[in-house]
Amino acid sequence: MLASVFSGLLEGVDAFLVTVEIDFSRGLPSTIVVGLPDAAVKEAKERVRAAISNSGYDFPGRRITVNLAPANTRKVGSDYDLPIALGVLAASEQIPLERLKEYVVIGELALDGQVRRVVGTLPIVQAALREGKKGVIVPKENVEEASVVEGIDVFGVAFLSEAVGFFTGTMPLEPHHTDISKMFSGETLGQLDFADVKGQEHTKHALTIAAAGGHNVLMLGPPGSGKTMLAMRLPSILPPFLPQEALETTRIHSVAGILPPKTAITRHRPFRAPHHSISDAGLIGGGSIPRPGEVSLAHHGVLFLDELTEFNRKTLEMLRQPLEDGRVNIARARTSLTFPANIMLVCAMNPCPCGYLTHPAKQCHCTPREVRAYLGKISGPLLDRIDIHLDVPPVEYKRLAGHDRGEASGAIRARVVNARAVQTQRYQGEPFHTNARMGEAQLRKYCVLSPACERTLERAMRELNLSARAYSRIKRLARTIADLEAADAITEEHVAEAINYRNLDRGLF
């Protein structure tokens, strides 16, 4: 007898349905899995055999062929254990076939029949909804994540016997539902607050501008000046996570397998800070079976690269495309995948090898040649894609020992939210919602400069020898500064401040 069960297959951060076909034939008892399975899928036959027997069901002593269709796409992971087991039981007439066709099933089986969690549940549930399926059967530990998708019933099972009882009607299950809007009603800023940072008022102001427009930032300063401390508090002033943004980020984390167990959705903007020894695939994504890298795991959040010059230059150059386009394209011989990567890049580095070139008290022992070589580790095209270059000096003892607290993140965030609201209103109908994502056509439309502003910018371009990309970045940054001040038009002061944030272009280090 032939039985079919629907399951899912991940392709990047998306998914499509796979048909698991089970057929019995004459011959010596054996189980063969076909359809380009990897080692984990091939081993499913042993887990399925033990799980069925240890759950009290009969494993047929027949020749069993398991086909995973479409057969021209490689199948990976342990997601197919549960659908294969149900297909074997259906083909041997231990459960009815009719209801199986209405559901998508995923889950790994333990030898005692327990259903273990799998990765990538969220995109598979979304694929089931697109295909018009009635419901999805997922591991109990994945049910919170799966139930954020509206319009489809999600059932969580802890054991194979529960899934069998659901399809035979002997063990009714209630669908699990999650109210996303309710989860975001009590959203908090987190424990890190800008009020803990002593001094650095100009740096906080620049980071406020960056958060308001989604701009990339590079902080230069001696060791101990507070660069990392400031970067770690940046998410606390970013706008609240919108449910749709959270759903996109959760889908990426689900595919990467970093979503905590029994977590429905990522409620806070991600902050990713990889070590400088990270590989190309670790930062950008890839591998024999492409997986999202750190730049995608930080989608709608912050990617922080501390000690920027310690990163491999070739690895850093790979950031050009995601910084420009907000996505990563990975091509392989068999497929081409796209991972979202709409991030704020925040970098920190010393101004010289010893770190004390700009320190007011400690003497730098680096030669000009060593300083040039050190800064030359960061290419010009990459610097052009960073809107704000910040000098972060050390904080004086009086400020450190004082009891005055800085402005709290909540107050700063309120200004950022107001500026973002202005941009959202302005860019209605556009494929973006922040100034940093404006293209050249939108720059001409939304960043009209007065003759005085044009003269200021022209003089800066000529004297500082700025690139065309830096010219566009300055206009975007000036637009954000104006939005923070609730100004309709960009003024000379806004342009001058934006130019002032191009420290490396101005040759100050």
Side-chain angles (χ1 to χ4, degrees):
M1 187 175 180
L2 178 66
S4 296
V5 184
F6 289 102
S7 189
L9 173 65
L10 295 175
E11 190 173 61
V13 295
D14 296 312
F16 61 88
L17 297 190
V18 170
T19 304
V20 180
E21 300 174 323
I22 311 293
D23 180 64
F24 292 167
S25 59
R26 294 180 180 178
L28 293 174
S30 62
T31 303
I32 302 174
V33 183
V34 297
L36 285 182
D38 74 340
V41 180
K42 290 179 180 179
E43 292 169 354
K45 59 185 180 183
E46 302 302 332
R47 293 191 294 271
V48 168
R49 184 193 307 273
I52 289 177
S53 299
N54 292 330
S55 298
Y57 306 107
D58 295 328
F59 189 87
R62 307 280 296 278
R63 177 183 173 87
I64 304 173
T65 302
V66 180
N67 180 43
L68 306 176
N72 62 346
T73 305
R74 189 163 184 79
K75 318 302 186 305
V76 299
S78 56
D79 303 39
Y80 306 102
D81 291 8
L82 183 57
I84 290 174
L86 293 176
V88 169
L89 293 175
S92 59
E93 299 183 345
Q94 297 181 65
I95 61 175
L97 286 171
E98 293 75 16
R99 295 190 67 191
L100 277 176
K101 298 179 180 179
E102 300 176 339
Y103 293 86
V104 172
V105 182
I106 56 173
E108 176 185 333
L109 285 175
L111 300 185
D112 62 353
Q114 182 181 357
V115 181
R116 292 172 173 163
R117 70 188 299 259
V118 294
V119 301
T121 302
L122 180 55
I124 292 176
V125 176
Q126 292 174 326
L129 178 63
R130 288 196 306 270
E131 296 296 326
K133 295 302 177 182
K134 184 176 180 180
V136 184
I137 308 298
V138 302
K140 196 79 170 181
E141 291 185 78
N142 291 110
V143 71
E144 296 286 346
E145 166 195 352
S147 61
V148 300
V149 181
E150 298 179 350
I152 188 169
D153 290 337
V154 176
F155 302 90
V157 294
F159 291 91
L160 172 62
S161 58
E162 294 180 12
V164 173
F166 173 77
F167 286 109
T168 58
T170 60
M171 189 181 295
L173 298 176
E174 292 294 326
H176 192 91
H177 297 287
T178 300
D179 188 348
I180 301 180
S181 59
K182 187 176 181 180
M183 293 181 62
F184 282 89
S185 61
E187 199 250 0
T188 59
L189 296 180
Q191 295 182 345
L192 299 179
D193 197 297
F194 266 109
D196 302 327
V197 181
K198 302 291 184 67
Q200 304 293 9
E201 300 305 329
H202 81 289
T203 307
K204 295 178 188 177
H205 175 65
L207 292 178
T208 302
I209 295 172
H215 302 283
N216 303 319
V217 181
L218 171 61
M219 293 184 285
L220 299 99
S225 57
K227 302 184 295 294
T228 302
M229 186 179 188
L230 287 160
M232 292 178 66
R233 281 155 177 77
L234 183 58
S236 68
I237 65 172
L238 291 176
F241 223 176
L242 300 177
Q244 183 58 38
E245 293 176 332
L247 198 61
E248 292 176 10
T249 303
T250 303
R251 185 172 61 172
I252 299 171
H253 290 190
S254 174
V255 170
I258 65 172
L259 195 67
K262 300 181 180 179
T263 299
I265 198 167
T266 302
R267 295 181 56 200
H268 301 285
R269 294 186 181 274
F271 180 86
R272 305 291 299 182
H275 190 261
H276 55 74
S277 61
I278 191 171
S279 65
D280 299 354
L283 183 64
I284 302 299
S288 57
I289 301 170
R291 286 286 186 258
E294 291 290 334
V295 71
S296 295
L297 297 178
H299 185 54
H300 290 311
V302 175
L303 176 64
F304 177 49
L305 303 183
D306 201 3
E307 302 296 343
L308 185 65
T309 53
E310 299 300 323
F311 284 80
N312 184 288
R313 177 163 177 156
K314 176 174 170 286
T315 303
L316 290 179
E317 292 304 299
M318 293 184 176
L319 287 172
R320 291 192 195 180
Q321 184 208 11
L323 292 181
E324 200 74 26
D325 303 332
R327 63 179 183 273
V328 174
N329 296 320
I330 298 177
R332 291 291 182 267
R334 292 178 176 268
T335 185
S336 179
L337 301 176
T338 299
F339 294 113
N342 184 6
I343 64 167
M344 274 186 64
L345 177 66
V346 179
C347 308
M349 58 182 283
N350 297 333
C352 66
C354 75
Y356 298 113
L357 178 63
T358 59
H359 200 285
K362 296 184 179 180
Q363 184 178 359
C364 172
H365 299 285
C366 304
T367 65
R369 182 176 181 179
E370 289 173 336
V371 174
R372 284 195 299 271
Y374 180 78
L375 296 178
K377 294 179 180 180
I378 312 302
S379 70
L382 181 59
L383 283 176
D384 278 347
R385 289 168 169 83
I386 299 177
D387 302 345
I388 299 176
H389 306 162
L390 275 177
D391 176 23
V392 185
V395 181
E396 296 178 353
Y397 174 78
K398 289 183 178 180
R399 300 298 299 272
L400 288 175
H403 299 290
D404 295 337
R405 287 171 60 85
E407 187 178 18
S409 291
I412 301 174
R413 189 192 213 189
R415 297 198 299 273
V416 170
V417 169
N418 290 337
R420 287 285 184 106
V422 171
Q423 295 168 57
T424 301
Q425 180 66 27
R426 179 190 300 133
Y427 302 132
Q428 284 186 350
E430 301 282 3
F432 58 90
H433 300 288
T434 58
N435 292 329
R437 290 296 173 189
M438 274 192 286
E440 293 302 319
Q442 290 79 21
L443 275 173
R444 291 190 294 270
K445 180 179 179 181
Y446 300 114
C447 295
V448 179
L449 301 182
S450 66
C453 292
E454 290 285 5
R455 287 192 296 270
T456 301
L457 188 51
E458 180 185 5
R459 185 166 62 252
M461 291 288 295
R462 183 176 60 253
E463 295 178 1
L464 303 178
N465 194 26
L466 300 178
S467 67
R469 185 174 284 109
Y471 167 79
S472 299
R473 298 278 173 181
I474 289 172
K475 292 180 68 175
R476 294 186 183 99
L477 196 56
R479 179 67 270 174
T480 301
I481 296 171
D483 290 342
L484 272 172
E485 297 179 2
D488 294 330
I490 299 174
T491 66
E492 290 180 77
E493 289 76 16
H494 300 148
V495 173
E497 184 176 354
I499 295 171
N500 199 48
Y501 288 126
R502 306 295 302 183
N503 279 349
L504 289 175
D505 293 333
R506 293 158 58 205
L508 294 187
F509 296 94

